[in-house]
Amino acid sequence: MTAPTVETATPASPAPPTSPRRRRRRVPWAAYLALLPLFAVLGVFSYYPAASGIWHSFSDWRPGFESPWVGFGNYLAMWQDDLWWQSFRNLGYIFVFQVTVAWALPLLAAELVISLRSERLQFFFRTALIAPMAFPGVVTVLLWSAMYDPNNGVINRALQSVGLDSLAHNWTGDPNTALLALLFIGFPFVAGLPFLIFLATLQGIPKEVFEAASLDGANRLRRFWSVDLPLMASQVKLLVFLATIGVLQYGFAAYLLTGGGPDNATQVPVLRMLGVAFQGSQWGYAATLSTALFLITVVLSIVVVFIKRGDKADVKSL
């Protein structure tokens, strides 16, 4: 007698997973169409003049007349332009002054304001310190120009009133003091962007951090170096970026107060470029200087933005 055979059912192979139906991404054509007028305006008034300046930097540009092609002739002339490079030396002095003296006082003011326990007093002093920002820059420069007047200026009058007649000086007319006089415009430099950035950063630090530093026995100076300054690293980097661009474009105050003189003591690249264009009528060479200044600004901005990009601010050990 044969044993009955048992048939085992083979498990059915799983069905292949069905891929979900891909959804088509909707292109926001309405947003793109709304941006077209903006890009058109930027193209006509920003990108086209910049591209035109770069193109004409390789020619002896004469607006309205034939402009012969000179290749790199303008750039070779720029390389041999001693006044152009002297203007960058003055920019170096301006940059160092801005990131030291012109930042130290706003930082000190922000630290003092944040130390006030009363929020009302903080609001009052914050408002009082930033109120001068409402005045136009030209008004500030002209006011300091009157203060620097060698005959009736407030500075010389004040020195004479206390018996220091020997210190009275033609501040903007002397090559030895003209650049320093420009640098001190706006003293004590509190009413400006650095003060607002420093104050906003300090106000954003949790109070528990300050309390922990106090419990660890850190005095005010130690807390500044170990807590406040490391937490402001990103903001300081932003200020360095803005200062780099601002200094390379510096020329407004020098144009109104000294015009680059005396004896080119306050000459800066922007004034050199304007002088070549409007006084020397060398438009092609002026386009070369502006192109070089643009490239220098781009390179330095990239360096500032990407330097230590991956670093994160952290509180140092107390």
Side-chain angles (χ1 to χ4, degrees):
M1 184 175 181
T2 59
T5 59
V6 179
E7 294 183 0
T8 59
T10 58
S13 59
T18 58
S19 58
R21 193 173 185 180
R22 293 183 179 180
R23 296 181 179 180
R24 294 182 178 179
R25 293 184 60 184
R26 293 184 178 180
V27 180
W29 294 110
Y32 290 130
L33 290 176
L35 289 173
L36 280 180
L38 175 61
F39 281 106
V41 173
L42 286 176
V44 173
F45 294 100
S46 295
Y47 299 129
Y48 173 74
S52 175
I54 296 174
W55 173 261
H56 286 101
S57 68
F58 295 97
S59 66
D60 185 11
W61 186 21
R62 300 172 184 176
F65 300 93
E66 184 179 357
S67 302
W69 186 263
V70 297
F72 289 95
N74 289 331
Y75 289 91
L76 293 177
M78 179 193 69
W79 188 259
Q80 300 172 358
D81 191 345
D82 295 334
L83 188 56
W84 170 252
W85 299 113
Q86 177 186 346
S87 65
F88 279 97
R89 184 183 64 182
N90 293 335
L91 278 191
Y93 295 145
I94 296 172
F95 181 80
V96 172
F97 185 88
Q98 281 198 0
V99 299
T100 54
V101 179
W103 284 7
L105 294 175
L107 179 56
L108 176 61
E111 288 282 355
L112 293 176
V113 170
I114 201 66
S115 300
L116 299 174
R117 296 184 178 180
S118 174
E119 294 184 358
R120 292 184 178 180
L121 287 177
Q122 286 188 16
F123 174 80
F124 171 77
F125 283 106
R126 180 176 69 247
T127 305
L129 291 175
I130 66 176
M133 292 181 64
F135 295 97
V138 63
V139 174
T140 303
V141 174
L142 294 178
L143 178 62
W144 277 83
S145 176
M147 294 172 60
Y148 283 138
D149 186 87
N151 298 319
N152 299 316
V154 174
I155 297 177
N156 285 343
R157 288 286 188 178
L159 293 173
Q160 293 169 1
S161 64
V162 295
L164 299 176
D165 302 52
S166 59
L167 297 180
H169 199 68
N170 185 4
W171 302 101
T172 58
D174 186 354
N176 297 321
T177 59
L179 184 59
L180 190 62
L182 284 180
L183 294 178
F184 268 91
I185 291 179
F187 182 84
F189 319 113
V190 176
L193 185 61
F195 170 74
L196 289 178
I197 292 180
F198 289 141
L199 183 62
T201 304
L202 292 174
Q203 287 179 334
I205 299 176
K207 295 182 179 180
E208 292 77 7
V209 176
F210 294 149
E211 294 175 356
S214 178
L215 291 176
D216 289 341
N219 56 24
R220 190 58 186 275
L221 184 60
R222 183 63 182 277
R223 194 200 79 182
F224 170 77
W225 286 108
S226 301
V227 179
D228 298 3
L229 197 58
L231 292 178
M232 287 190 292
S234 299
Q235 285 70 22
V236 171
K237 181 179 177 181
L238 171 63
L239 286 175
V240 171
F241 172 75
L242 295 177
T244 301
I245 296 178
V247 168
L248 288 172
Q249 297 177 351
Y250 180 87
F252 171 72
Y255 178 78
L256 290 178
L257 208 60
T258 63
D263 195 22
N264 296 315
T266 59
Q267 187 70 250
V268 290
V270 170
L271 292 185
R272 175 60 178 162
M273 180 180 61
L274 294 177
V276 166
F278 291 98
Q279 297 177 7
S281 297
Q282 300 178 11
W283 298 98
Y285 185 47
T288 301
L289 298 183
S290 65
T291 302
L293 188 61
F294 166 73
L295 294 177
I296 293 173
T297 303
V298 171
V299 171
L300 291 180
S301 300
I302 292 175
V303 171
V304 173
V305 168
F306 287 96
I307 188 171
K308 295 183 179 180
R309 188 178 181 182
D311 293 352
K312 295 183 179 180
D314 195 6
V315 178
K316 297 180 180 179
S317 59
L318 297 174

